[in-house]
Amino acid sequence: MKTKFLSLVSHEFKTPLSSILTSSMLLGKYKLTEQQAKRDRHIKIISDKVHYLNNILNDFLSAEKLEKGKVNYKLSTFKVTKVVNEVVYNVNMLLKDGQQINYPKDIDGFSLYQNEKIIELALSNLVNNAIK
């Protein structure tokens, strides 16, 4: 059970940490004053991912929730394109020579009722694994 738990924790943390690393590297590239909007976007990504990791850690550390299987996530309706665009943007710096991400561009009308961060994490894991 301990091995399974450690595997789950490392998997859940790996993708957000990768996003934090990518955004922090990109922050160093935007040095011009007119690039402030890009810096602000990466600062927000870093902040969001740190908060996300903190929330996951709090869930994991709650032994009672884990034992009873009652880890609760907020469900909401969101546009699929928001998550897809976020994931694609975050992984573009990880692409190797000759790799590209192809996905349907006509998904603007699709929405999901789910935990947005879980869907983003799952899609990020899939894309990151495909890149590897």
Side-chain angles (χ1 to χ4, degrees):
M1 186 168 204
K2 183 179 177 182
T3 302
K4 187 176 179 181
F5 175 76
L6 290 174
S7 175
L8 178 65
V9 169
S10 67
H11 188 70
E12 293 290 328
F13 274 63
K14 191 173 184 178
T15 299
L17 287 171
S18 176
S19 293
I20 292 168
L21 180 60
T22 301
S23 285
S24 64
M25 288 185 323
L26 289 172
L27 274 174
K29 293 183 179 190
Y30 301 128
K31 299 178 190 263
L32 302 176
T33 303
E34 59 269 13
Q35 293 175 316
Q36 185 61 43
K38 291 181 180 182
R39 285 192 296 271
D40 290 343
R41 175 166 164 67
H42 289 291
I43 290 169
K44 182 176 182 343
I45 288 170
I46 291 168
S47 177
D48 289 349
K49 298 299 179 185
V50 168
H51 287 294
Y52 173 76
L53 290 171
N54 188 49
N55 288 338
I56 287 178
L57 186 58
N58 286 337
D59 285 345
F60 282 144
L61 293 176
S62 174
E64 181 178 307
K65 284 183 182 179
L66 283 174
E67 287 176 2
K68 294 181 180 179
K70 293 186 175 182
V71 177
N72 296 319
Y73 294 101
K74 292 181 189 175
L75 300 179
S76 64
T77 301
F78 59 92
K79 295 279 187 186
V80 173
T81 53
K82 179 181 178 209
V83 172
V84 169
N85 290 338
E86 185 75 25
V87 169
V88 169
Y89 181 82
N90 285 334
V91 299
N92 267 327
M93 295 300 294
L94 304 174
L95 293 174
K96 298 172 179 115
D97 287 339
Q99 287 183 321
Q100 62 182 15
I101 298 173
N102 297 320
Y103 61 97
K105 305 292 186 204
D106 58 349
I107 57 174
D108 289 339
F110 293 102
S111 296
L112 284 177
Y113 179 70
Q114 186 53 262
N115 180 278
E116 185 175 342
K117 294 299 177 190
I118 295 300
I119 297 299
E120 182 181 339
L121 180 63
L123 184 57
S124 290
N125 284 336
L126 287 170
V127 174
N128 277 307
N129 288 341
I131 290 171
K132 291 177 188 172

